[in-house]
Short mmCIF file of all heavy atoms in Angstrom, two decimals:
data_model
loop_
_atom_site.label_atom_id
_atom_site.label_comp_id
_atom_site.label_asym_id
_atom_site.label_seq_id
_atom_site.Cartn_x
_atom_site.Cartn_y
_atom_site.Cartn_z
N MET A 1 126.16 106.40 79.89
CA MET A 1 125.28 105.22 79.86
C MET A 1 123.85 105.66 80.12
O MET A 1 123.42 105.88 81.25
CB MET A 1 125.73 104.20 80.93
CG MET A 1 124.83 102.96 80.98
SD MET A 1 125.51 101.72 82.07
CE MET A 1 124.15 100.52 82.02
N ARG A 2 123.11 105.81 79.06
CA ARG A 2 121.73 106.26 79.20
C ARG A 2 120.87 105.12 79.71
O ARG A 2 121.17 103.95 79.52
CB ARG A 2 121.20 106.75 77.86
CG ARG A 2 122.00 107.93 77.33
CD ARG A 2 121.32 108.54 76.12
NE ARG A 2 120.20 109.39 76.50
CZ ARG A 2 120.31 110.68 76.82
NH1 ARG A 2 121.49 111.24 76.84
NH2 ARG A 2 119.25 111.40 77.14
N GLY A 3 119.79 105.50 80.38
CA GLY A 3 118.89 104.49 80.92
C GLY A 3 119.31 104.03 82.30
O GLY A 3 118.66 103.18 82.90
N TYR A 4 120.37 104.61 82.81
CA TYR A 4 120.77 104.27 84.17
C TYR A 4 119.67 104.71 85.13
O TYR A 4 119.17 105.83 85.04
CB TYR A 4 122.08 104.96 84.53
CG TYR A 4 122.60 104.63 85.90
CD1 TYR A 4 123.29 103.43 86.12
CD2 TYR A 4 122.40 105.49 86.96
CE1 TYR A 4 123.77 103.13 87.37
CE2 TYR A 4 122.88 105.19 88.22
CZ TYR A 4 123.57 104.00 88.41
OH TYR A 4 124.04 103.69 89.66
N GLN A 5 119.28 103.85 86.05
CA GLN A 5 118.17 104.13 86.94
C GLN A 5 118.52 105.24 87.92
O GLN A 5 119.48 105.14 88.68
CB GLN A 5 117.79 102.88 87.71
CG GLN A 5 116.51 103.08 88.53
CD GLN A 5 116.11 101.80 89.22
OE1 GLN A 5 116.80 100.80 89.13
NE2 GLN A 5 115.00 101.84 89.92
N GLN A 6 117.74 106.31 87.89
CA GLN A 6 118.00 107.43 88.79
C GLN A 6 117.57 107.10 90.21
O GLN A 6 116.60 106.38 90.42
CB GLN A 6 117.24 108.67 88.33
CG GLN A 6 117.80 109.28 87.06
CD GLN A 6 117.12 110.59 86.74
OE1 GLN A 6 115.93 110.74 87.01
NE2 GLN A 6 117.84 111.53 86.19
N ALA A 7 118.29 107.64 91.15
CA ALA A 7 117.89 107.48 92.55
C ALA A 7 116.56 108.20 92.77
O ALA A 7 116.37 109.32 92.32
CB ALA A 7 118.95 108.07 93.46
N GLN A 8 115.66 107.56 93.42
CA GLN A 8 114.34 108.15 93.62
C GLN A 8 114.43 109.35 94.55
O GLN A 8 115.13 109.33 95.54
CB GLN A 8 113.38 107.12 94.21
CG GLN A 8 113.15 105.97 93.25
CD GLN A 8 112.07 105.04 93.76
OE1 GLN A 8 111.07 105.48 94.28
NE2 GLN A 8 112.30 103.75 93.61
N GLY A 9 113.71 110.41 94.18
CA GLY A 9 113.73 111.61 94.98
C GLY A 9 114.81 112.58 94.54
O GLY A 9 114.76 113.74 94.86
N GLY A 10 115.77 112.08 93.79
CA GLY A 10 116.79 112.95 93.25
C GLY A 10 117.75 113.50 94.28
O GLY A 10 118.46 114.45 94.02
N ARG A 11 117.81 112.89 95.46
CA ARG A 11 118.74 113.38 96.47
C ARG A 11 120.14 112.84 96.19
O ARG A 11 120.31 111.76 95.67
CB ARG A 11 118.31 112.93 97.86
CG ARG A 11 117.05 113.61 98.35
CD ARG A 11 116.81 113.21 99.79
NE ARG A 11 115.63 113.86 100.35
CZ ARG A 11 114.41 113.33 100.27
NH1 ARG A 11 114.23 112.19 99.64
NH2 ARG A 11 113.37 113.94 100.81
N GLU A 12 121.10 113.61 96.63
CA GLU A 12 122.47 113.15 96.52
C GLU A 12 122.87 112.44 97.80
O GLU A 12 122.22 112.57 98.82
CB GLU A 12 123.40 114.34 96.32
CG GLU A 12 123.13 115.09 95.02
CD GLU A 12 124.13 116.22 94.86
OE1 GLU A 12 125.27 116.06 95.27
OE2 GLU A 12 123.73 117.27 94.33
N GLY A 13 123.91 111.70 97.72
CA GLY A 13 124.49 111.14 98.95
C GLY A 13 124.35 109.64 99.06
O GLY A 13 125.26 108.98 99.50
N CYS A 14 123.23 109.10 98.65
CA CYS A 14 123.09 107.67 98.76
C CYS A 14 122.08 107.18 97.73
O CYS A 14 121.25 107.93 97.26
CB CYS A 14 122.63 107.24 100.16
SG CYS A 14 120.92 107.66 100.50
N ALA A 15 122.17 105.92 97.43
CA ALA A 15 121.20 105.30 96.54
C ALA A 15 120.13 104.65 97.39
O ALA A 15 120.41 103.78 98.21
CB ALA A 15 121.89 104.27 95.66
N ARG A 16 118.92 105.11 97.22
CA ARG A 16 117.83 104.53 97.99
C ARG A 16 117.61 103.08 97.58
O ARG A 16 117.61 102.75 96.39
CB ARG A 16 116.57 105.34 97.74
CG ARG A 16 115.39 104.88 98.54
CD ARG A 16 114.25 105.83 98.29
NE ARG A 16 113.03 105.34 98.88
CZ ARG A 16 111.86 105.96 98.77
NH1 ARG A 16 111.80 107.10 98.12
NH2 ARG A 16 110.78 105.48 99.32
N GLN A 17 117.43 102.25 98.55
CA GLN A 17 117.24 100.83 98.26
C GLN A 17 115.86 100.61 97.66
O GLN A 17 114.93 101.37 97.91
CB GLN A 17 117.38 100.03 99.56
CG GLN A 17 118.77 100.13 100.18
CD GLN A 17 119.82 99.54 99.28
OE1 GLN A 17 119.75 98.39 98.88
NE2 GLN A 17 120.83 100.35 98.93
N PRO A 18 115.71 99.57 96.87
CA PRO A 18 114.44 99.31 96.19
C PRO A 18 113.35 98.87 97.15
O PRO A 18 113.62 98.30 98.21
CB PRO A 18 114.79 98.21 95.20
CG PRO A 18 115.97 97.52 95.78
CD PRO A 18 116.75 98.58 96.52
N LEU A 19 112.13 99.16 96.76
CA LEU A 19 110.95 98.73 97.51
C LEU A 19 110.23 97.65 96.70
O LEU A 19 110.36 97.60 95.49
CB LEU A 19 110.02 99.92 97.74
CG LEU A 19 110.56 100.99 98.70
CD1 LEU A 19 109.64 102.20 98.71
CD2 LEU A 19 110.71 100.43 100.10
N PRO A 20 109.42 96.82 97.34
CA PRO A 20 109.15 96.80 98.77
C PRO A 20 110.33 96.24 99.58
O PRO A 20 111.17 95.52 99.06
CB PRO A 20 107.93 95.87 98.88
CG PRO A 20 108.04 94.96 97.70
CD PRO A 20 108.65 95.80 96.62
N ALA A 21 110.32 96.62 100.86
CA ALA A 21 111.36 96.16 101.77
C ALA A 21 110.72 96.00 103.15
O ALA A 21 109.61 96.46 103.39
CB ALA A 21 112.50 97.16 101.83
N ASP A 22 111.44 95.35 104.05
CA ASP A 22 110.92 95.18 105.41
C ASP A 22 111.42 96.29 106.30
O ASP A 22 112.59 96.65 106.28
CB ASP A 22 111.35 93.83 105.97
CG ASP A 22 110.64 92.68 105.29
OD1 ASP A 22 109.52 92.88 104.79
OD2 ASP A 22 111.21 91.58 105.27
N CYS A 23 110.51 96.85 107.11
CA CYS A 23 110.87 97.90 108.06
C CYS A 23 111.66 97.29 109.22
O CYS A 23 111.27 96.25 109.75
CB CYS A 23 109.60 98.57 108.57
SG CYS A 23 109.89 99.83 109.82
N PRO A 24 112.76 97.92 109.64
CA PRO A 24 113.58 97.38 110.72
C PRO A 24 112.95 97.59 112.09
O PRO A 24 113.44 97.06 113.08
CB PRO A 24 114.89 98.16 110.58
CG PRO A 24 114.46 99.48 110.05
CD PRO A 24 113.31 99.17 109.10
N ILE A 25 111.91 98.39 112.17
CA ILE A 25 111.34 98.74 113.46
C ILE A 25 110.03 98.00 113.72
O ILE A 25 109.85 97.39 114.78
CB ILE A 25 111.15 100.27 113.54
CG1 ILE A 25 112.54 100.95 113.42
CG2 ILE A 25 110.48 100.67 114.86
CD1 ILE A 25 112.48 102.46 113.36
N CYS A 26 109.12 98.03 112.78
CA CYS A 26 107.84 97.33 112.98
C CYS A 26 107.80 96.00 112.23
O CYS A 26 106.88 95.21 112.44
CB CYS A 26 106.68 98.21 112.55
SG CYS A 26 106.56 98.46 110.76
N PHE A 27 108.79 95.77 111.38
CA PHE A 27 108.93 94.51 110.65
C PHE A 27 107.81 94.26 109.64
O PHE A 27 107.65 93.14 109.17
CB PHE A 27 109.05 93.32 111.61
CG PHE A 27 110.17 93.49 112.60
CD1 PHE A 27 109.90 93.77 113.94
CD2 PHE A 27 111.50 93.41 112.19
CE1 PHE A 27 110.92 93.94 114.85
CE2 PHE A 27 112.53 93.59 113.10
CZ PHE A 27 112.24 93.85 114.44
N GLU A 28 107.07 95.31 109.35
CA GLU A 28 106.06 95.17 108.31
C GLU A 28 106.64 95.64 106.98
O GLU A 28 107.65 96.33 106.93
CB GLU A 28 104.82 95.98 108.68
CG GLU A 28 104.10 95.40 109.88
CD GLU A 28 102.83 96.20 110.21
OE1 GLU A 28 102.37 96.95 109.34
OE2 GLU A 28 102.34 96.05 111.33
N GLU A 29 105.95 95.27 105.95
CA GLU A 29 106.45 95.61 104.63
C GLU A 29 106.31 97.10 104.35
O GLU A 29 105.31 97.71 104.68
CB GLU A 29 105.69 94.80 103.58
CG GLU A 29 106.31 94.90 102.19
CD GLU A 29 105.60 94.00 101.20
OE1 GLU A 29 104.37 94.13 101.06
OE2 GLU A 29 106.27 93.16 100.56
N ILE A 30 107.34 97.66 103.73
CA ILE A 30 107.30 99.04 103.29
C ILE A 30 107.01 99.05 101.80
O ILE A 30 107.69 98.39 101.03
CB ILE A 30 108.65 99.73 103.54
CG1 ILE A 30 109.05 99.64 105.02
CG2 ILE A 30 108.61 101.19 103.09
CD1 ILE A 30 110.50 100.04 105.27
N VAL A 31 105.97 99.79 101.43
CA VAL A 31 105.65 99.91 100.02
C VAL A 31 105.74 101.37 99.60
O VAL A 31 105.57 102.27 100.43
CB VAL A 31 104.25 99.34 99.70
CG1 VAL A 31 104.23 97.84 99.95
CG2 VAL A 31 103.19 100.02 100.52
N GLU A 32 105.98 101.57 98.35
CA GLU A 32 106.15 102.93 97.83
C GLU A 32 104.90 103.77 98.06
O GLU A 32 103.78 103.30 97.91
CB GLU A 32 106.46 102.84 96.33
CG GLU A 32 106.82 104.17 95.73
CD GLU A 32 108.15 104.68 96.26
OE1 GLU A 32 109.19 104.11 95.94
OE2 GLU A 32 108.12 105.66 97.02
N GLY A 33 105.08 105.01 98.46
CA GLY A 33 103.99 105.96 98.49
C GLY A 33 103.20 106.00 99.78
O GLY A 33 102.15 106.63 99.83
N LYS A 34 103.68 105.36 100.83
CA LYS A 34 102.94 105.37 102.10
C LYS A 34 103.83 105.87 103.23
O LYS A 34 104.14 105.14 104.16
CB LYS A 34 102.42 103.97 102.43
CG LYS A 34 101.29 103.54 101.50
CD LYS A 34 100.77 102.17 101.88
CE LYS A 34 100.09 102.17 103.24
NZ LYS A 34 99.56 100.84 103.59
N GLY A 35 104.25 107.11 103.14
CA GLY A 35 105.05 107.68 104.22
C GLY A 35 106.36 106.97 104.42
O GLY A 35 106.68 106.54 105.52
N VAL A 36 107.11 106.88 103.35
CA VAL A 36 108.38 106.17 103.42
C VAL A 36 109.53 107.16 103.59
O VAL A 36 109.60 108.16 102.89
CB VAL A 36 108.60 105.34 102.15
CG1 VAL A 36 109.92 104.58 102.22
CG2 VAL A 36 107.43 104.39 101.94
N ASP A 37 110.39 106.87 104.53
CA ASP A 37 111.62 107.62 104.68
C ASP A 37 112.77 106.63 104.50
O ASP A 37 112.55 105.42 104.47
CB ASP A 37 111.67 108.28 106.06
CG ASP A 37 112.68 109.43 106.10
OD1 ASP A 37 113.36 109.67 105.08
OD2 ASP A 37 112.78 110.08 107.14
N PHE A 38 113.97 107.14 104.40
CA PHE A 38 115.10 106.23 104.27
C PHE A 38 116.35 106.87 104.84
O PHE A 38 116.46 108.09 104.91
CB PHE A 38 115.31 105.82 102.80
CG PHE A 38 115.69 106.96 101.90
CD1 PHE A 38 117.01 107.18 101.59
CD2 PHE A 38 114.72 107.77 101.35
CE1 PHE A 38 117.38 108.22 100.74
CE2 PHE A 38 115.08 108.82 100.51
CZ PHE A 38 116.40 109.04 100.21
N CYS A 39 117.26 106.02 105.26
CA CYS A 39 118.51 106.49 105.82
C CYS A 39 119.32 107.19 104.74
O CYS A 39 119.48 106.67 103.64
CB CYS A 39 119.29 105.31 106.39
SG CYS A 39 120.91 105.76 107.03
N ARG A 40 119.82 108.38 105.06
CA ARG A 40 120.55 109.14 104.06
C ARG A 40 121.94 108.56 103.83
O ARG A 40 122.62 108.93 102.88
CB ARG A 40 120.68 110.60 104.51
CG ARG A 40 119.36 111.31 104.70
CD ARG A 40 118.57 111.37 103.40
NE ARG A 40 117.38 112.18 103.57
CZ ARG A 40 116.21 111.72 103.99
NH1 ARG A 40 116.09 110.44 104.30
NH2 ARG A 40 115.17 112.50 104.11
N VAL A 41 122.37 107.70 104.70
CA VAL A 41 123.71 107.15 104.58
C VAL A 41 123.71 105.81 103.86
O VAL A 41 124.39 105.63 102.86
CB VAL A 41 124.37 107.01 105.96
CG1 VAL A 41 125.77 106.43 105.83
CG2 VAL A 41 124.40 108.36 106.67
N CYS A 42 122.90 104.88 104.35
CA CYS A 42 122.90 103.55 103.75
C CYS A 42 121.78 103.37 102.74
O CYS A 42 121.80 102.43 101.96
CB CYS A 42 122.83 102.46 104.82
SG CYS A 42 121.27 102.37 105.72
N GLY A 43 120.79 104.27 102.78
CA GLY A 43 119.74 104.24 101.77
C GLY A 43 118.65 103.23 102.04
O GLY A 43 117.76 103.05 101.22
N HIS A 44 118.69 102.57 103.19
CA HIS A 44 117.65 101.59 103.48
C HIS A 44 116.38 102.28 103.93
O HIS A 44 116.42 103.31 104.60
CB HIS A 44 118.15 100.60 104.54
CG HIS A 44 119.06 99.56 103.97
ND1 HIS A 44 120.41 99.75 103.85
CD2 HIS A 44 118.79 98.33 103.48
CE1 HIS A 44 120.95 98.67 103.30
NE2 HIS A 44 120.00 97.79 103.06
N ASN A 45 115.26 101.70 103.58
CA ASN A 45 113.96 102.32 103.81
C ASN A 45 113.41 102.05 105.20
O ASN A 45 113.73 101.04 105.83
CB ASN A 45 112.97 101.80 102.77
CG ASN A 45 113.37 102.19 101.36
OD1 ASN A 45 113.10 103.30 100.94
ND2 ASN A 45 114.00 101.28 100.64
N VAL A 46 112.58 102.98 105.65
CA VAL A 46 111.91 102.85 106.94
C VAL A 46 110.61 103.66 106.86
O VAL A 46 110.52 104.62 106.11
CB VAL A 46 112.82 103.35 108.09
CG1 VAL A 46 113.11 104.84 107.96
CG2 VAL A 46 112.22 103.05 109.44
N HIS A 47 109.60 103.25 107.60
CA HIS A 47 108.37 104.04 107.64
C HIS A 47 108.64 105.37 108.33
O HIS A 47 109.36 105.42 109.32
CB HIS A 47 107.29 103.30 108.44
CG HIS A 47 106.81 102.03 107.79
ND1 HIS A 47 106.92 100.80 108.41
CD2 HIS A 47 106.22 101.82 106.60
CE1 HIS A 47 106.40 99.88 107.60
NE2 HIS A 47 105.97 100.45 106.50
N CYS A 48 108.00 106.43 107.85
CA CYS A 48 108.14 107.74 108.50
C CYS A 48 107.71 107.65 109.96
O CYS A 48 108.37 108.19 110.86
CB CYS A 48 107.32 108.79 107.77
SG CYS A 48 108.09 109.37 106.25
N ASP A 49 106.59 107.00 110.22
CA ASP A 49 106.09 106.87 111.59
C ASP A 49 107.10 106.14 112.46
O ASP A 49 107.33 106.50 113.62
CB ASP A 49 104.77 106.12 111.60
CG ASP A 49 103.63 106.97 111.03
OD1 ASP A 49 103.84 108.18 110.83
OD2 ASP A 49 102.56 106.40 110.80
N CYS A 50 107.69 105.12 111.91
CA CYS A 50 108.66 104.34 112.68
C CYS A 50 109.93 105.14 112.92
O CYS A 50 110.52 105.09 114.00
CB CYS A 50 108.98 103.04 111.95
SG CYS A 50 107.54 101.95 111.84
N GLN A 51 110.33 105.91 111.92
CA GLN A 51 111.50 106.77 112.07
C GLN A 51 111.27 107.78 113.18
O GLN A 51 112.15 108.04 114.00
CB GLN A 51 111.78 107.48 110.74
CG GLN A 51 112.88 108.54 110.83
CD GLN A 51 114.21 107.95 111.22
OE1 GLN A 51 114.66 106.99 110.66
NE2 GLN A 51 114.85 108.53 112.22
N GLN A 52 110.05 108.35 113.25
CA GLN A 52 109.75 109.32 114.29
C GLN A 52 109.72 108.67 115.66
O GLN A 52 110.16 109.24 116.66
CB GLN A 52 108.41 110.00 113.98
CG GLN A 52 108.52 110.93 112.78
CD GLN A 52 107.18 111.51 112.37
OE1 GLN A 52 106.17 111.29 113.03
NE2 GLN A 52 107.16 112.25 111.27
N ARG A 53 109.19 107.45 115.71
CA ARG A 53 109.19 106.70 116.97
C ARG A 53 110.63 106.44 117.42
O ARG A 53 110.98 106.58 118.58
CB ARG A 53 108.46 105.37 116.75
CG ARG A 53 107.91 104.78 118.02
CD ARG A 53 107.21 103.46 117.71
NE ARG A 53 106.32 103.57 116.55
CZ ARG A 53 105.86 102.52 115.87
NH1 ARG A 53 106.22 101.30 116.22
NH2 ARG A 53 105.05 102.68 114.87
N TRP A 54 111.44 106.08 116.46
CA TRP A 54 112.86 105.82 116.71
C TRP A 54 113.53 107.09 117.24
O TRP A 54 114.28 107.06 118.21
CB TRP A 54 113.50 105.37 115.40
CG TRP A 54 114.94 104.97 115.48
CD1 TRP A 54 116.02 105.71 115.12
CD2 TRP A 54 115.45 103.71 115.95
NE1 TRP A 54 117.17 104.99 115.32
CE2 TRP A 54 116.85 103.78 115.83
CE3 TRP A 54 114.85 102.55 116.45
CZ2 TRP A 54 117.66 102.71 116.20
CZ3 TRP A 54 115.67 101.50 116.81
CH2 TRP A 54 117.05 101.58 116.69
N ALA A 55 113.24 108.22 116.58
CA ALA A 55 113.85 109.49 116.96
C ALA A 55 113.38 109.91 118.36
O ALA A 55 114.17 110.39 119.16
CB ALA A 55 113.49 110.57 115.94
N SER A 56 112.09 109.70 118.64
CA SER A 56 111.56 110.10 119.94
C SER A 56 112.09 109.23 121.07
O SER A 56 112.03 109.59 122.24
CB SER A 56 110.03 110.05 119.93
OG SER A 56 109.59 108.71 119.81
N ALA A 57 112.65 108.09 120.72
CA ALA A 57 113.28 107.23 121.71
C ALA A 57 114.72 107.65 121.98
O ALA A 57 115.44 106.99 122.71
CB ALA A 57 113.24 105.78 121.23
N GLY A 58 115.12 108.77 121.38
CA GLY A 58 116.45 109.31 121.65
C GLY A 58 117.54 108.72 120.80
O GLY A 58 118.72 108.84 121.11
N LYS A 59 117.14 108.08 119.70
CA LYS A 59 118.14 107.44 118.84
C LYS A 59 118.19 108.09 117.46
O LYS A 59 118.53 107.45 116.49
CB LYS A 59 117.81 105.95 118.71
CG LYS A 59 117.81 105.23 120.04
CD LYS A 59 117.30 103.81 119.88
CE LYS A 59 117.29 103.08 121.22
NZ LYS A 59 116.65 101.75 121.13
N SER A 60 117.80 109.36 117.44
CA SER A 60 117.66 110.01 116.15
C SER A 60 118.97 110.12 115.39
O SER A 60 118.97 110.29 114.19
CB SER A 60 117.06 111.40 116.33
OG SER A 60 117.90 112.19 117.14
N ASP A 61 120.07 110.04 116.10
CA ASP A 61 121.35 110.19 115.42
C ASP A 61 121.95 108.84 115.02
O ASP A 61 123.08 108.76 114.58
CB ASP A 61 122.34 110.96 116.30
CG ASP A 61 122.59 110.27 117.63
OD1 ASP A 61 121.75 109.43 118.02
OD2 ASP A 61 123.61 110.55 118.26
N THR A 62 121.16 107.79 115.18
CA THR A 62 121.65 106.50 114.73
C THR A 62 120.76 105.97 113.63
O THR A 62 119.59 106.31 113.53
CB THR A 62 121.68 105.48 115.89
OG1 THR A 62 120.34 105.26 116.34
CG2 THR A 62 122.53 105.99 117.03
N CYS A 63 121.31 105.13 112.84
CA CYS A 63 120.56 104.53 111.75
C CYS A 63 119.61 103.49 112.31
O CYS A 63 120.02 102.65 113.12
CB CYS A 63 121.55 103.88 110.79
SG CYS A 63 120.79 102.97 109.45
N PRO A 64 118.33 103.50 111.90
CA PRO A 64 117.40 102.48 112.39
C PRO A 64 117.87 101.07 112.05
O PRO A 64 117.48 100.10 112.71
CB PRO A 64 116.10 102.81 111.65
CG PRO A 64 116.24 104.22 111.22
CD PRO A 64 117.69 104.47 111.02
N TRP A 65 118.68 100.99 111.04
CA TRP A 65 119.17 99.69 110.62
C TRP A 65 120.42 99.26 111.37
O TRP A 65 120.87 98.13 111.27
CB TRP A 65 119.48 99.72 109.12
CG TRP A 65 118.27 99.82 108.28
CD1 TRP A 65 117.65 100.96 107.86
CD2 TRP A 65 117.47 98.75 107.80
NE1 TRP A 65 116.54 100.64 107.13
CE2 TRP A 65 116.41 99.29 107.07
CE3 TRP A 65 117.57 97.34 107.91
CZ2 TRP A 65 115.44 98.50 106.46
CZ3 TRP A 65 116.60 96.57 107.29
CH2 TRP A 65 115.55 97.15 106.58
N LEU A 66 121.02 100.23 112.07
CA LEU A 66 122.25 99.97 112.82
C LEU A 66 123.39 99.50 111.92
O LEU A 66 124.30 98.83 112.37
CB LEU A 66 122.01 98.93 113.94
CG LEU A 66 120.89 99.31 114.92
CD1 LEU A 66 120.67 98.16 115.91
CD2 LEU A 66 121.21 100.60 115.65
N TRP A 67 123.30 99.87 110.68
CA TRP A 67 124.33 99.46 109.74
C TRP A 67 125.32 100.56 109.48
O TRP A 67 126.35 100.35 108.86
CB TRP A 67 123.71 99.02 108.42
CG TRP A 67 122.97 97.73 108.51
CD1 TRP A 67 122.93 96.89 109.58
CD2 TRP A 67 122.16 97.12 107.50
NE1 TRP A 67 122.15 95.81 109.29
CE2 TRP A 67 121.66 95.92 108.03
CE3 TRP A 67 121.82 97.50 106.22
CZ2 TRP A 67 120.83 95.09 107.29
CZ3 TRP A 67 121.00 96.66 105.51
CH2 TRP A 67 120.51 95.47 106.02
N CYS A 68 125.00 101.76 109.90
CA CYS A 68 125.93 102.87 109.68
C CYS A 68 125.85 103.80 110.88
O CYS A 68 124.83 103.84 111.57
CB CYS A 68 125.60 103.61 108.40
SG CYS A 68 123.87 103.99 108.15
N LYS A 69 126.86 104.53 111.15
CA LYS A 69 126.89 105.42 112.29
C LYS A 69 127.82 106.58 112.02
O LYS A 69 128.51 106.56 111.03
CB LYS A 69 127.31 104.68 113.55
CG LYS A 69 128.61 103.92 113.37
CD LYS A 69 128.82 102.90 114.46
CE LYS A 69 129.28 103.46 115.77
NZ LYS A 69 129.70 102.48 116.74
ZN1 ZN B 101 107.71 100.41 110.20
ZN1 ZN B 102 121.73 103.77 107.59
#
């Protein structure tokens, strides 16, 4: 099936969710191209800064979305 939308970034493992989306940590909108990271398991987006804040709070091994573990 040609024309199937490729996962952005070309990573394997999960399908990145479409943008824009709401950040689970700061609740602001996430837009493409501004330091966006995403969960490798569920594919939901998060700001890189927020992800680092989350990680520095000792929760780096949990999903910021709390949807996967
Ligand atoms: Zn954020
Ligand atoms: Zn996740």
Side-chain angles (χ1 to χ4, degrees):
M1 178 173 175
R2 299 189 78 86
Y4 182 81
Q5 187 177 3
Q6 289 186 326
Q8 296 187 41
R11 290 187 179 89
E12 297 182 35
C14 71
R16 183 176 172 182
Q17 297 297 304
L19 292 173
D22 290 333
C23 177
I25 298 175
C26 70
F27 305 108
E28 292 182 17
E29 190 175 55
I30 303 168
V31 295
E32 187 67 70
K34 289 182 66 179
V36 181
D37 199 357
F38 64 97
C39 177
R40 299 299 186 272
V41 180
C42 68
H44 282 87
N45 296 279
V46 64
H47 293 120
C48 283
D49 288 349
C50 295
Q51 173 62 50
Q52 289 175 5
R53 204 180 313 162
W54 184 259
S56 67
K59 300 173 181 173
S60 60
D61 60 340
T62 64
C63 175
W65 290 90
L66 304 176
W67 290 353
C68 46
K69 53 196 282 190

